[in-house]
Amino acid sequence: MKWSHKWQLHLFLLPSVLLLLIYSYVPLFGVVIAFQNFKPYKGLFHSDWVGLAHFRTMFADEMVIGIITNTLVIALGKMILGWIVPLIFALLLNEIRKVLIKRTIQTLVYLPHFMSWVILAGMLTDMLSQKGIINQFLTSLNLSPIFFLGDGDWFRMTMIASDVWKEFGFGAIIYLAAIASVNPALYEAAEIDGANRWHQTLHVTFPAILPVGIVIGTLALGNILNGGFDQIYNMMNALVSDKGEIIDTYVFKMGIQQGAFSMSTAVGLFKSVVSFIMIGITYKMAIKYANYRIF
């Protein structure tokens, strides 16, 4: 196919290519700030060059190391549970034979995905407060109330659990689609051989969707340093900053609120490089274990 014969199709792509260049590639030139003592009034070309000084400062700062640790803990928890819970939910939902009940459950669990963290943070803050509905329920069972948003360890678990609750219904869509593509003849053959529902799920459904699960799990490793800015920023407070601060919120506070542009860019660049490496590794893993290829 010659380009001159299909120029109309390329013309349709032009707006998307321009947006990609403007918002994804042109800003890449700004990473030089990480190697400068950047001053806005001097600009990119006249600020003093300091080389790797900000990176040395970053790795020598215990606070930054703690922030990276927080990001890893929260992101890994979200990745692991965000992979397991949708898979189990899809398998359980597939066993419901009443279409109306099945569709109702699907609708209810999908809804949180379409709500912003600004709204959900307000709801969860109220529900998880010392006098919120969750602690009132615990008190009714003669249990001590839990300081979900004021204790660092509980805060981490709350962030992981709330993110999984928000996304597991939407994440199950891919698994449900994979289950729908399973050949019904396999179930019929298993039933003839005497397999019950549990054995059919274990030996037919699960192996059929496992390659999809491997692809989702391996590609999710590319987000190993994405703790979730919207969620953390809207729910974090000073009491849990030592356990709740993540790279994204740190970069925002240092760069936008405090004007430490060079340091925040260095931390952000470190995150981007690690994520890029992980994407390459996980893509190789997806090819090896699930035969998944983009090109």
Side-chain angles (χ1 to χ4, degrees), residues 75-243:
L76 282 174
K78 289 181 178 181
M79 284 167 49
I80 294 172
L81 290 180
W83 181 77
I84 295 175
V85 174
L87 176 60
I88 295 175
F89 173 73
L91 291 172
L92 294 175
L93 190 64
N94 184 60
E95 296 304 310
I96 299 177
R97 293 295 172 238
K98 296 291 184 179
V99 177
L100 180 61
I101 298 176
K102 185 175 182 179
R103 299 302 180 195
T104 301
I105 294 174
Q106 282 182 295
T107 301
L108 291 175
V109 297
Y110 290 169
L111 284 177
H113 170 79
F114 299 100
M115 300 176 67
S116 73
W117 273 115
V118 177
I119 297 173
L120 289 178
M123 296 171 56
L124 290 172
T125 300
D126 183 64
M127 294 172 60
L128 298 173
S129 66
Q130 290 290 81
K131 296 183 179 180
I133 187 173
I134 304 299
N135 276 317
Q136 287 185 19
F137 175 73
L138 293 176
T139 303
S140 68
L141 297 177
N142 293 323
L143 298 174
S144 299
I146 298 172
F147 204 3
F148 290 101
L149 302 180
D151 180 275
D153 294 326
W154 275 107
F155 181 80
R156 284 178 175 177
M157 289 187 283
T158 302
M159 294 303 97
I160 295 170
S162 59
D163 183 78
V164 172
W165 164 75
K166 182 178 185 293
E167 300 294 343
F168 84 93
F170 192 80
I173 291 176
I174 298 176
Y175 294 113
L176 291 171
I179 292 173
S181 66
V182 179
N183 190 344
L186 296 175
Y187 294 107
E188 295 174 2
E191 190 173 359
I192 292 174
D193 289 339
N196 56 28
R197 299 291 304 181
W198 166 247
H199 291 130
Q200 291 177 35
T201 300
L202 187 62
H203 298 290
V204 177
T205 308
F206 186 73
I209 67 174
L210 186 59
V212 175
I214 292 174
V215 170
I216 294 174
T218 53
L219 294 182
L221 287 173
N223 294 317
I224 194 168
L225 289 180
N226 286 331
F229 172 80
D230 291 347
Q231 178 194 24
I232 303 296
Y233 184 75
N234 282 288
M235 298 189 68
M236 188 175 61
N237 56 74
L239 294 175
V240 295
S241 59
D242 60 326
K243 295 290 186 72

Side-chain angles (χ1 to χ4, degrees), residues 244-257:
E245 190 86 72
I246 60 173
I247 292 176
D248 292 332
T249 56
Y250 175 79
V251 169
F252 175 78
K253 291 177 180 179
M254 291 292 293
I256 303 299
Q257 296 181 346

